[in-house]
Each structure stands twice: as structure tokens, then as C-alpha cells.
Amino acid sequence: MVNSVLRRVPAWVLYVLAPVPVVWIFYLGLTGGLGVDPAKRIEHELGLWTLWLLIAGLAITPLRRWAGVNLLKFRRAIGVITFFYLLAHLLTWLVLDVQFQNVWADIVKRWYITVGMVGFVLMLPLALTSNNWSVRRLGAATWRALHKLVYPIAVFGALHFLLLVKGFQWEPILYALVIMALLATRVNWSDVASRANLARG
């Protein structure tokens, strides 16, 4: 039932809907709906959307495997939109928050920014190769191997949030646990156990 409905929904719908939250967030910032420091709030909200989309992309495989819900045709669109939100998050920090001042010093000295920038750099080749021409040019196997970079990107995203917050807060911890759980679903645990037994023997 769910899959039959999903088959009727084209992937391009996601691209059409993708800018709506960004426009709404900036509208709230411009109209005073985000408090006394709208730049920080915009930056934070866009960062959250990036994490949500990373989690959505990682959830596609386990949903198909265990729930029978097939969202594979949306995976590329989700990946591209994730980069769009990550770029918006970065530009908000660069233009509205620090206003191009001491950018390199912040990247080097502040660990959460360092980790975030590493995640952004790793995301660049995925965004640039999210098209059919790149699949043909690289070959399916190489393309799939390259796009497994999304796994460390998700880890860097979770770590970026953990390092950003001050004190003990459950929100970034919960995001990190969800991402770790989704990554764990990709591990062949029987193979890991077999190798561990061989190592002990």
C-alpha cells in the first residue's frame, strides 16, 4: 500500500519543496521571529535540517530491509537537498554570523567548526557526482564506493553538534545515537563475529 503510493510520487517534488523551510526560516529571522540573535538561530535551524536530512538518507536502507518501505528513488534527491542545507548553514555562519572576519582562525581554533568544515569538504564530491553522467563516467562500483563517504559525513555532523553545545544536553546526544544506530545496521555483525573468533583462535 505504502509503496504503491510512493511509486506515484516523483522525486522532483522533493526539489520543489526543499526551499520552503529555508525561506520560512529566513522570513522569521527578518521579521523578528527568531529572537535577539536571528543569525545564530538561522544557522542553528539550518544545521538541524541538515542533520534531519542526513538521518533520512541513512534510514532508507533499513526501512527497505526491515519495514519493506522502498524510498530508494528519493535517495539522490535527499542527498542533493542535504548539501543544499549544509551550504546554506555554512553561508549563514560565514556571511551573517562572523561576517567574513577571522574565518581561518575560527576553523583552526574551534574544534566544532573544524569538524563541520571537514564534513562540508567531504560532501562536495558527493554533490558534484549526484548525476547520471557521473555514474556512467565513474562506473557504478566506484560511484557507490565514493558515496559511502556519507557515513563519515554523518559522524562528523553528529560530532559537530556535540562539540558545539555547552554543557550536558540530550539533543545532540540523541542525534549521535540515532546516527550510530543507523550506521550499525550496515555492519555485517556475523562477519565481524567470525573474524573475531578467527583472531582469538
Side-chain angles (χ1 to χ4, degrees), residues 85-114:
Y85 274 84
L86 178 57
L87 180 61
H89 174 67
L90 173 62
L91 290 175
T92 301
W93 168 73
L94 188 63
V95 178
L96 299 181
D97 190 354
V98 299
Q99 299 178 5
F100 298 101
Q101 296 178 18
N102 302 316
V103 172
W104 181 247
D106 275 353
I107 292 172
V108 173
K109 292 179 182 178
R110 301 179 189 273
W111 276 106
Y112 71 91
I113 298 177
T114 307

Side-chain angles (χ1 to χ4, degrees), residues 4-171:
S4 63
V5 172
L6 290 172
R7 276 194 291 271
R8 298 190 187 97
V9 181
W12 59 259
V13 170
L14 296 185
Y15 293 110
V16 173
L17 295 176
V20 174
V22 177
V23 173
W24 178 246
I25 290 166
F26 274 93
Y27 169 77
L28 290 177
L30 291 170
T31 57
L34 295 180
V36 295
D37 194 351
K40 282 286 188 187
R41 281 292 306 278
I42 292 169
E43 189 181 332
H44 177 70
E45 293 298 323
L46 292 172
L48 283 179
W49 270 94
T50 305
L51 270 180
W52 295 337
L53 287 162
L54 278 170
I55 289 169
L58 291 175
I60 287 174
T61 296
L63 278 174
R64 185 182 181 218
R65 184 182 301 164
W66 292 321
V69 178
N70 191 348
L71 298 168
L72 282 176
K73 74 174 183 178
F74 301 108
R75 183 153 61 185
R76 188 182 299 185
I78 290 172
V80 173
I81 294 166
T82 302
F83 177 76
F84 167 70
Y85 274 84
L86 178 57
L87 180 61
H89 174 67
L90 173 62
L91 290 175
T92 301
W93 168 73
L94 188 63
V95 178
L96 299 181
D97 190 354
V98 299
Q99 299 178 5
F100 298 101
Q101 296 178 18
N102 302 316
V103 172
W104 181 247
D106 275 353
I107 292 172
V108 173
K109 292 179 182 178
R110 301 179 189 273
W111 276 106
Y112 71 91
I113 298 177
T114 307
V115 168
M117 286 302 298
V118 171
F120 175 75
V121 170
L122 290 178
M123 195 76 167
L124 279 171
L126 304 195
L128 293 173
T129 58
S130 290
N131 52 73
N132 292 332
W133 181 85
S134 294
V135 176
R136 292 192 298 271
R137 185 73 175 174
L138 294 172
T142 301
W143 188 88
R144 281 194 297 269
L146 174 65
H147 280 252
K148 286 182 180 180
L149 281 174
V150 72
Y151 304 153
I153 289 167
V155 173
F156 281 122
L159 185 58
H160 172 69
F161 197 7
L162 284 167
L163 293 171
L164 171 65
V165 300
K166 294 179 174 67
F168 181 87
Q169 295 187 33
W170 274 111
E171 187 181 16

